[in-house]
Structures are given as C-alpha cells and as structure tokens.
Amino acid sequence: EAGAGDDYVLHCTDLADNSRLYVHRDGKVGIGTNTPDTILEVSGSDNVIQLISSYSNTLGYAPQITFRKAGGTEADSDAVHDNDVLGVIEFQGYDLDTGGNYKVGASIIARINGTPGDDDMPTELEFWTNDGVAAAEQRMTLDLNGNVGIGLTVPIGKLDVVSGENDKYVGKFYHTDTADGYGVYIAAGNDANDKALYVQNRAKNNSLLTCLGNGNVGIGTTAPLNKLDVAHGAAAGENAVRFAPATTGNIGAVYIGLDGDADSVIYLYN
C-alpha cells in the first residue's frame, strides 16, 4: 500500500500489521526500516543474519557474492583503471563522541594496482583497522603477486613485516607444547652463493649474521669460508669471541673433541 502523500511506492506488512518492507520513490529499499540510508538497508533489533544457500550436486556450484565496477555507464561500460576501488567491505560502529555518527572500525578494500589488460585485472587487497585513537589505517596488504605486507603497503617478499613500535618485538614465535615444542624451521639456500638466513642491524649497514646454503656461518661477515667465521670488528680492548662459564670452579669454558672420541683435543679451564 502507498498513499499519495507518502514518500514510498510500496509498503508491505505482516498479518499483525507490522511493517516489513518499504520501497521509496527514490529507489531505496528498506527491510525492517522505513528510512533506508542506501539502495538497500536491512535493519532489526536482534541478530540480523543474511543467508545465501545453494543446493546442487555439481562441485563448482556454490553461494557467491560478487562486487563489480566499470567505467562509463551501465549502457556503455568502460574499462577500470589503475588505483580504482573494485569493492569495499566496511565495519562501522555508532560513536556518541562525534555528535552521533557511525565511525569506520575496520574495512577490506579491493584496489586495482596496475594497468588492466586482456583477461588481466591486477588487484590487491588492503586491510584497515582503527586503533581507537584516530581514523582507520591500512595495516596489511595482500598484493597482486601474493606478497603479504604488514606495516607497509609495498611488500617485496612473500612476507614483509615492518614495525615502528618502541620496545616491542617485530615478531614473536612461542610454542606451547611442553613435549615437542619445535621452533622455527627454515629451508632455503643451495650453495655458498645463497643466504639461508641473513640478519642486519636496523640501519641495514652492518651485517650481523649470515648462514649460507653450504652450511657456513658468518658473524660480522657475509662471505664465511668456514663452518664458522667471526670477523673481528671489536674495538680496542674488546674480544671478538669470549667464552665464560656461568659458574666458578674447575669448569671447562671451551671443549673441542673428535666425533665419537671421549678424549678432547683442546680443553681449556677457566
């Protein structure tokens, strides 16, 4: 039903005369509300759950939500361009401190990154969150090559993490299994030309640790020639390597022995 003075063209109610659906003259549809803010708004005072079901024995058939964007018009569509946003999933909450407005708490944005071509749509995903201090900020990026960046927008590896927080670790791995709590496993490197593990200082101008693909380890050098190479970069009066037992007494600080031989080759006491 709709009256001549109403701002909607369709108003549906249930048998108890409760309003269920409004179709306004401007094309907006409200389900559970007569004042929709967008083309379609679904409102309720309880859990508002949207369900999309598919019933099929065909493996490839499934529920699907599709976001589309094109340039031009619906009748005369044109290609999208670099930096165009293809779709947004946004999570908002009502905030009284801003005069009663909805604020973005988090969002996921699909954005073109590059020039689309024939059967080619270079796209990345951006993940934004709000820390409760300011507006939402981009925290993580999944780029068009599958690289993940946390704390930066242009990752150069499969996982690229940057942090500027004071007195906090960039990453932490903690295994809670008390029986077989393995740590971090790295499988990389083939020979002396490959770095399986490489550690630098924050300024990236000092090499701290290098593990090559042939098993050589370098401390202070990026080209270790032996199983362990320590480059003496210590200042005057300092040692490149120091071994000190944790307890006093007749305790060996360094033991060097042959494999399978109980006798030591070199045995130094403190």
Side-chain angles (χ1 to χ4, degrees), residues 172-185:
K172 182 179 179 182
F173 300 90
Y174 178 66
H175 202 305
T176 59
D177 191 328
T178 58
D180 297 301
Y182 294 173
V184 178
Y185 174 73

Side-chain angles (χ1 to χ4, degrees), residues 17-170:
D17 203 31
N18 295 310
S19 298
R20 298 301 184 187
L21 174 69
Y22 291 88
V23 179
H24 285 250
R25 298 182 186 279
D26 59 2
K28 294 179 181 178
V29 177
I31 299 177
T33 177
N34 66 346
T35 56
D37 291 330
T38 58
I39 294 178
L40 172 64
E41 181 176 345
V42 180
S43 178
S45 59
D46 204 339
N47 287 330
V48 181
I49 301 174
Q50 312 303 315
L51 180 63
I52 302 176
S53 301
S54 174
Y55 303 94
S56 174
N57 293 323
T58 303
L59 296 179
Y61 291 175
Q64 178 175 319
I65 299 176
T66 301
F67 296 81
R68 283 182 175 177
K69 180 175 182 178
T73 65
E74 184 177 3
D76 185 18
S77 300
D78 196 5
V80 291
H81 303 284
D82 184 30
N83 209 41
D84 271 354
V85 174
L86 296 185
V88 178
I89 300 176
E90 193 168 84
F91 306 87
Q92 298 183 351
Y94 196 73
D95 183 12
L96 291 175
D97 293 336
T98 59
N101 294 308
Y102 283 95
K103 296 283 289 183
V104 177
S107 60
I108 302 174
I109 300 174
R111 188 187 304 273
I112 298 294
N113 185 353
T115 302
D118 294 338
D119 297 323
D120 183 24
M121 191 62 59
T123 306
E124 65 183 19
L125 288 178
E126 304 169 0
F127 297 82
W128 296 62
T129 62
N130 190 319
D131 60 5
V133 177
E137 297 181 17
Q138 187 173 346
R139 310 294 185 182
M140 185 172 74
T141 301
L142 175 60
D143 75 5
L144 65 166
N145 296 311
N147 296 336
V148 176
I150 300 176
L152 76 166
T153 59
V154 186
I156 60 175
K158 287 305 177 185
L159 178 60
D160 201 343
V161 182
V162 173
S163 174
E165 295 184 87
N166 187 36
D167 292 331
K168 291 185 178 180
Y169 293 105
V170 175

Side-chain angles (χ1 to χ4, degrees), residues 163-221:
S163 174
E165 295 184 87
N166 187 36
D167 292 331
K168 291 185 178 180
Y169 293 105
V170 175
K172 182 179 179 182
F173 300 90
Y174 178 66
H175 202 305
T176 59
D177 191 328
T178 58
D180 297 301
Y182 294 173
V184 178
Y185 174 73
I186 299 175
N190 295 312
D191 50 38
N193 297 317
D194 301 328
K195 293 182 177 69
L197 178 65
Y198 185 45
V199 181
Q200 288 184 302
N201 65 339
R202 184 194 59 80
K204 300 180 182 179
N205 58 11
N206 187 14
S207 300
L208 306 179
L209 176 68
T210 302
C211 299
L212 299 181
N214 62 355
N216 290 353
V217 176
I219 299 176
T221 176

